[in-house]
Amino acid sequence: MLREIPPPPRALRQLVSPDFVASAGAADLADLVMGEPLVAAKVMAAVNSPLYGVRQPVTSISQAITFLGMTVVRNICLRHMMGISFNVNSAYGRRALDTLDASGGLAGALCLRLAPRLPVDDPSGLATQVVISFIGHLAAITFQHASRAPDDAVAPGALLPRLRLQQAHWGVSAGAIGQLLMREWKLPPGLAQDAWALESVLVTPVEAVPPRRAPALALGYVCARLGERLACGQPLGPQELDQAFASDPDFHHVRAYLDLPALADLPGLLRDERTLEGLRT
């Protein structure tokens, strides 16, 4: 089944390679994107969307990098290069794909707003992990369509209920599907492992995570879950955030992570209206 999913553009592997991430400049990124015309068109549409709030139309990839920075444009490219591989014929599957695709974009953007304001390592790398963590969920929609699993097995929104349904129908979760697919695509093993660790916050107590990694993993997980809820159109005002952290099963273990000193400011940042400005649109 995995091999029936078409591979992404070759440029994806270059985009996430450690050497490119460490040494590529703006011109290198622009050349890489312009070599994939379909991706370039999607990137330009995304850059000019209300999410990024540019004050004048952006007309080139180079201009987008100047306005938004390498990391933002790189993650927009990553999202759209991933998305090219996924397609289904059903109306429900198409809507679910679109919503999960938007979820990755919103989650990555939220991470890039929050991470630099908290004492976590490598904010740009963390935002990439957040976007990559959606690969398995996108792939699961292909499985759902082929196996006739119920729509709830891939329904965007709450994570835990759909993972339970996936385990019941396939014996494997979207996260594991994502790991296998990233291996099939020959993406860097470290990136796949980090994406798995991020999503595993759902079921991992804080004391089971290396202390130095715990704040970043929890922040990335929170961004992924909130990005998905934003993509579903769910309200995320202070009351909804408080309720999610207090009683939502997706945030069961997150409550303990929020006691970490590095994440002490996170609830306040999320309640600040400026943090989510543009993301709801």
Side-chain angles (χ1 to χ4, degrees):
M1 181 79 70
L2 285 177
R3 290 178 180 172
E4 294 177 10
I5 297 174
R10 290 184 181 180
L12 176 63
R13 266 186 278 176
Q14 184 178 352
L15 189 69
V16 298
S17 69
D19 289 344
F20 189 88
V21 172
S23 61
D28 299 310
L29 179 57
D31 288 345
L32 182 71
V33 179
M34 292 308 296
E36 299 289 345
L38 178 58
V39 173
K42 290 177 177 289
V43 169
M44 294 306 301
V47 166
N48 284 294
S49 71
L51 174 59
Y52 297 102
V54 293
R55 297 183 180 181
Q56 62 189 64
V58 176
T59 58
S60 70
I61 298 296
S62 296
Q63 193 179 31
I65 294 170
T66 299
F67 285 176
L68 300 179
M70 283 274 293
T71 299
V72 172
V73 175
R74 180 174 165 274
N75 280 339
I76 295 172
C77 296
L78 173 62
R79 168 195 164 195
H80 288 297
M81 285 183 185
M82 284 167 36
I84 286 174
S85 294
F86 303 106
N87 193 25
V88 290
N89 295 324
S90 72
Y92 178 83
R94 185 67 256 170
R95 290 195 301 271
L97 277 176
D98 288 344
T99 301
L100 286 169
D101 174 58
S103 300
L106 291 168
L110 178 59
C111 186
L112 287 173
R113 292 185 182 188
L114 291 170
R117 302 167 70 181
L118 297 167
V120 297
D121 295 335
D122 190 12
S124 61
L126 179 61
T128 298
Q129 294 168 29
V130 169
V131 176
I132 284 285
S133 71
F134 282 89
I135 282 183
H137 299 287
L138 293 164
I141 296 173
T142 301
F143 274 58
Q144 184 261 347
H145 184 66
S147 66
R148 302 182 184 276
D151 289 345
D152 286 350
V154 295
L159 179 63
L160 185 59
R162 74 172 185 258
L163 293 188
R164 285 175 170 165
L165 281 172
Q166 290 164 8
Q167 288 284 359
H169 282 270
W170 307 321
V172 68
S173 69
I177 293 170
Q179 292 291 294
L180 294 170
L181 190 57
M182 284 186 265
R183 189 181 306 165
E184 184 75 18
W185 288 354
K186 296 181 171 58
L187 299 189
L191 183 61
Q193 291 162 9
D194 287 342
W196 174 265
L198 186 154
E199 185 155 303
S200 295
V201 169
L202 172 69
V203 294
T204 307
V206 64
E207 58 270 17
V209 178
R212 195 175 73 83
R213 299 192 66 200
L217 290 175
L219 174 61
Y221 176 83
V222 167
C223 290
R225 303 286 67 78
L226 295 183
E228 195 168 325
R229 283 161 169 73
L230 285 167
C232 291
Q234 296 180 16
L236 283 181
Q239 182 176 348
E240 288 82 14
L241 287 166
D242 288 345
Q243 184 175 356
F245 289 136
S247 58
D248 190 317
D250 281 0
F251 295 90
H252 173 73
H253 286 296
V254 166
R255 294 190 276 278
Y257 286 83
L258 292 178
D259 290 333
L260 297 171
L263 298 181
D265 293 336
L266 178 57
L269 290 172
L270 287 170
R271 291 188 185 95
D272 185 338
E273 185 64 27
R274 292 169 295 182
T275 301
L276 298 180
E277 185 178 3
L279 297 179
R280 295 189 179 92
T281 307

